[in-house]
Amino acid sequence: MKNVSNLKFLIALTLCASIVGCKRSSNSGNVDSATGWKINDKKGGFQYNTQFKEQETPPGTAFVEGGTFTMGKVQDDPMHDWNNTPNQQHIQSFYMDEHEVTNLNYLFYLDYLKSVYPPDDPNYALIYNGALPDTLVWRNRLGYNEMMTENYLRHPGYANYPVVGVSWIQAVEYANWRTDRVAELSLQEAGYIKRDAQYTDVSAESTFSTDTYLHAPTQTYGGNTEVLEGGKRRQQTDAEGNPINVYASRESGLIPVKYRLPTEAEWEYAALGMSELRQYNVHRGRKKYPWDGQYTRSGKRVNRGDQLANFKQGKGDYGGIAGWSDDGADITAEVKSYEPNDYGLYDMAGNVAEWVADVYRPIVDDEFNDFNYYRGNVYTKNAINEDGSVKIVTVDEIVYDTLPNGKIIARDLPGEIARVPIDEEDTYLRTNFSKSDNRNFRDGDKRSSRFYRQSFDEGEDKSTTGKMYNSPKHSIQVDSAEGKLIREYDKSDSRTSLINDEVRVYKGGSWRDRAYWIDPAQRRYFPQDMATDYIGFRCAVSRVGSKSNKSSKRRK
């Protein structure tokens, strides 16, 4: 009997060994569990980062664990705006800048543009000029503010103050630029590209773009092989002498997730700082500020009575009485001047209001979506050449857009991949989206998505009457002969709204606002191509993988 048992054991062992990857697939991260084939084999094949643990916190940001919360006004509404009615939303985890983008941060961006695209070169002057903040926002017809006009952006005394005079469009462009710089440094540190290439090898014809590196890596830096092959990984070869991992792919885990503006839902969720009070807020809806309590002054013994944010305390009172009950600022304050909320985020109330990504509508359409709510999706794709390659923008192909306010900005910079709207090939028989531009999808209420007037007078223009959001349509174009701007103002007397697809939400109160506006639930809107002296911005980054590091620990 003993021999029979040993024979059965040997047969079972033989059968197990004959199955490809029987034991290896369950114990080795470099073997595909579905087929038993090797991953990251030196002889070639599929390359993948099987050692990836967790997304690193992006530079300058703090982690915000996602969850459910009550978005919108949960207190009384004395203004009767009814544009922030309460609705329950779920937010995925993300990262957000600890503080607003500062003057120093933005000046670093301007210096980069100035060195790569010299404004004294007529080919590039509009690139640098299009990124400059509007310092004239400080002027007041009955106030002397020339000191801020001349000094606020560039003087070292304001280095760590939030940048203002930046439009929503400019804020988005800064976030895109920041994405490329962080990715460029990541690839240098990982040895995929030459160290310090941004100082020695970058020009208008030789730049780094994250998307270009992912889709056409050989054309990054204008195809400069000295930079692309200058990393230490180029020196590694396989058995046949071929270079290993010449270019990093998305599968490497080394390409950082993009910086962007936070959505309105993300910003409000982060501002409330509900890491310890989430359930309390969901069910009872009583958290009014980024700090605990219903008042703007501290109740702690050590600093009792001190203001917890920078805002306008009353008519003609922007900081309190000097030397007593002073909030420390009359205009903006240096970032991190006040205590952070429970997520480690500073100035989520007061100092400057902040741009968020959303297009404004009076109603948040939670009936359609209550997960990562966002209005403003415009889906695009890479432009493709006739030979099937992606179209890279060259110096001679820069396209400039003239904004309604007359400012001219570059649509794409040299070295970037040109983008085009998606078409029917991408939307055919899809159920989750049907067109490229979804900014006015459902439009927040039924009447605004169609003409609610049933009849029109003969010859009456339907585009200016009978529609809910029929905002003014000013026209501006450039005279090709003289290069002058031709402005045509919409003088129609039938316009009934300022809301359109080019107005964006901004959140939080500012140094100019009373305490009513520092409630994170408050929401206002402003044209995306205009700027003020009280709106700044901060960036966000989506989290990939687990909801938090607690999830990965739970699996161990």
Side-chain angles (χ1 to χ4, degrees):
M1 292 295 293
K2 186 176 181 180
N3 290 336
V4 173
S5 299
N6 289 340
L7 181 60
K8 289 181 178 179
F9 174 75
L10 290 172
I11 293 173
L13 187 63
T14 304
L15 288 173
C16 183
S18 67
I19 300 174
V20 178
C22 175
K23 291 182 64 177
R24 196 182 306 167
S25 62
S26 60
N27 296 327
S28 174
N30 286 326
V31 174
D32 178 29
S33 61
T35 64
W37 284 39
K38 292 181 180 180
I39 301 173
N40 302 319
D41 191 350
K42 291 185 177 181
K43 297 179 181 179
F46 183 53
Q47 301 295 309
Y48 195 83
N49 182 1
T50 57
Q51 303 302 315
F52 184 83
K53 299 296 183 182
E54 185 180 58
Q55 181 180 3
E56 294 184 5
T57 301
T61 68
F63 175 64
V64 179
E65 182 178 349
T68 299
F69 82 115
T70 301
M71 180 180 177
K73 188 69 173 174
V74 293
Q75 302 284 338
D76 294 333
D77 189 8
M79 301 289 286
H80 299 290
D81 289 344
W82 301 116
N83 71 343
N84 54 356
T85 52
N87 63 94
Q88 189 161 305
Q89 295 286 335
H90 190 95
I91 304 299
Q92 280 187 297
S93 298
F94 63 101
Y95 300 86
M96 181 178 275
D97 276 343
E98 292 181 324
H99 56 75
E100 300 104 342
V101 172
T102 64
N103 286 318
L104 181 59
N105 296 146
Y106 204 85
L107 284 173
F108 190 82
Y109 165 53
L110 292 177
D111 182 73
Y112 177 92
L113 293 180
K114 190 173 184 178
S115 62
V116 177
Y117 309 104
D120 55 357
D121 186 328
N123 294 318
Y124 311 126
L126 294 176
I127 294 177
Y128 178 75
N129 293 337
L132 286 172
D134 182 4
T135 58
L136 300 183
V137 295
W138 288 105
R139 282 184 171 167
N140 187 306
R141 284 165 290 199
L142 292 178
Y144 178 74
N145 294 334
E146 291 304 295
M147 187 277 292
M148 278 87 79
T149 298
E150 297 170 357
N151 295 286
Y152 183 80
L153 174 64
R154 298 184 182 275
H155 196 283
Y158 292 115
N160 293 316
Y161 284 60
V163 66
V164 297
V166 175
S167 70
W168 181 91
I169 292 176
Q170 290 174 315
V172 170
E173 289 302 312
Y174 172 87
N176 293 337
W177 170 85
R178 184 176 175 183
T179 297
D180 291 339
R181 302 292 73 77
V182 172
E184 190 173 21
L185 181 60
S186 175
L187 291 172
Q188 287 182 14
E189 292 179 341
Y192 281 92
I193 55 180
K194 178 183 174 182
R195 276 278 189 177
D196 299 327
Q198 69 271 30
Y199 304 120
T200 59
D201 297 274
V202 169
S203 65
E205 295 83 12
S206 175
T207 59
F208 176 88
S209 165
T210 306
D211 287 338
T212 302
Y213 185 86
L214 286 170
H215 297 95
T218 59
Q219 298 188 54
T220 315
Y221 294 106
N224 187 338
T225 55
E226 181 182 347
V227 177
L228 295 172
E229 299 177 5
K232 61 183 180 181
R233 286 185 178 268
R234 188 71 189 204
Q235 302 167 10
Q236 300 178 16
T237 58
D238 59 19
E240 285 73 32
N242 300 314
I244 300 174
N245 295 332
V246 178
Y247 303 112
S249 62
R250 187 79 73 184
E251 291 84 353
S252 69
L254 294 170
I255 308 296
V257 181
K258 292 183 178 181
Y259 285 83
R260 55 180 173 79
L261 291 182
T263 66
E264 179 182 5
E266 286 176 334
W267 193 98
E268 187 171 328
Y269 177 83
L272 286 170
M274 298 183 298
S275 61
E276 302 297 331
L277 298 170
R278 185 176 298 118
Q279 291 301 320
Y280 176 74
N281 186 70
V282 167
H283 296 297
R284 300 189 61 187
R286 291 291 184 268
K287 198 167 192 297
K288 186 175 183 180
Y289 298 120
W291 51 84
D292 296 339
Q294 303 293 304
Y295 305 101
T296 62
R297 294 184 183 273
S298 174
K300 297 179 180 179
R301 178 178 298 180
V302 66
N303 57 350
R304 181 169 293 165
D306 287 356
Q307 291 289 1
L308 296 171
N310 175 22
F311 61 95
K312 183 178 179 181
Q313 299 178 31
K315 183 175 176 60
D317 184 358
Y318 288 85
I321 299 173
W324 180 86
S325 188
D326 190 4
D327 67 8
D330 39 27
I331 54 169
T332 57
E334 187 172 358
V335 297
K336 295 188 175 183
S337 294
Y338 302 89
E339 290 296 317
N341 69 4
D342 288 344
Y343 287 127
L345 305 174
Y346 295 83
D347 295 321
M348 295 301 285
N351 213 16
V352 291
E354 299 178 17
W355 289 114
V356 295
D358 296 58
V359 168
Y360 177 82
R361 288 295 185 270
I363 297 176
V364 172
D365 190 1
D366 61 315
E367 291 184 2
F368 184 81
N369 183 38
D370 57 5
F371 181 78
N372 283 350
Y373 186 87
Y374 166 61
R375 177 180 290 279
N377 281 313
V378 179
Y379 299 125
T380 59
K381 61 182 180 181
N382 295 337
I384 305 299
N385 295 315
E386 293 182 359
D387 61 0
S389 61
V390 293
K391 180 176 177 58
I392 308 297
V393 178
T394 64
V395 173
D396 300 327
E397 297 174 324
I398 305 175
V399 177
Y400 295 95
D401 292 325
T402 303
L403 304 179
N405 63 355
K407 198 152 190 173
I408 301 175
I409 62 169
R411 186 182 304 171
D412 299 299
L413 296 178
E416 296 179 345
I417 298 177
R419 306 284 296 181
V420 295
I422 61 171
D423 51 31
E424 190 174 356
E425 291 184 5
D426 307 286
T427 62
Y428 182 64
L429 292 183
R430 281 191 177 272
T431 58
N432 54 335
F433 64 94
S434 58
K435 61 179 182 178
S436 174
D437 189 346
N438 298 275
R439 290 176 296 177
N440 59 9
F441 178 69
R442 286 171 60 100
D443 240 353
D445 59 83
K446 293 180 180 179
R447 292 194 300 172
S448 65
S449 60
R450 65 169 184 262
F451 293 107
Y452 59 88
R453 277 179 56 181
Q454 301 299 318
S455 61
F456 297 87
D457 297 334
E458 185 176 351
E460 190 174 6
D461 185 1
K462 292 183 181 181
S463 67
T464 60
T465 57
K467 198 173 183 184
M468 180 67 74
Y469 302 133
N470 60 337
S471 60
K473 300 183 184 300
H474 306 300
S475 173
I476 187 167
Q477 52 186 326
V478 180
D479 187 322
S480 57
E482 300 183 10
K484 295 182 179 180
L485 293 177
I486 303 175
R487 299 178 176 87
E488 295 183 9
Y489 297 96
D490 185 341
K491 299 180 180 180
S492 171
D493 58 3
S494 59
R495 299 298 187 186
T496 60
S497 173
L498 294 176
I499 299 173
N500 56 40
D501 292 343
E502 280 75 43
V503 295
R504 301 284 172 167
V505 179
Y506 69 93
K507 300 282 284 185
S510 73
W511 65 275
R512 277 193 177 276
D513 295 314
R514 299 292 293 270
Y516 173 79
W517 294 106
I518 65 177
D519 182 341
Q522 295 294 354
R523 57 199 303 261
R524 292 173 281 181
Y525 64 91
F526 205 70
Q528 66 182 20
D529 56 357
M530 298 178 67
T532 74
D533 61 355
Y534 59 86
I535 300 180
F537 71 101
R538 71 179 77 206
C539 298
V541 176
S542 299
R543 179 175 172 86
V544 297
S546 62
K547 182 178 180 181
S548 72
N549 54 7
K550 298 177 185 176
S551 301
S552 57
K553 291 177 181 177
R554 207 178 290 129
R555 291 193 296 267
K556 292 180 180 179

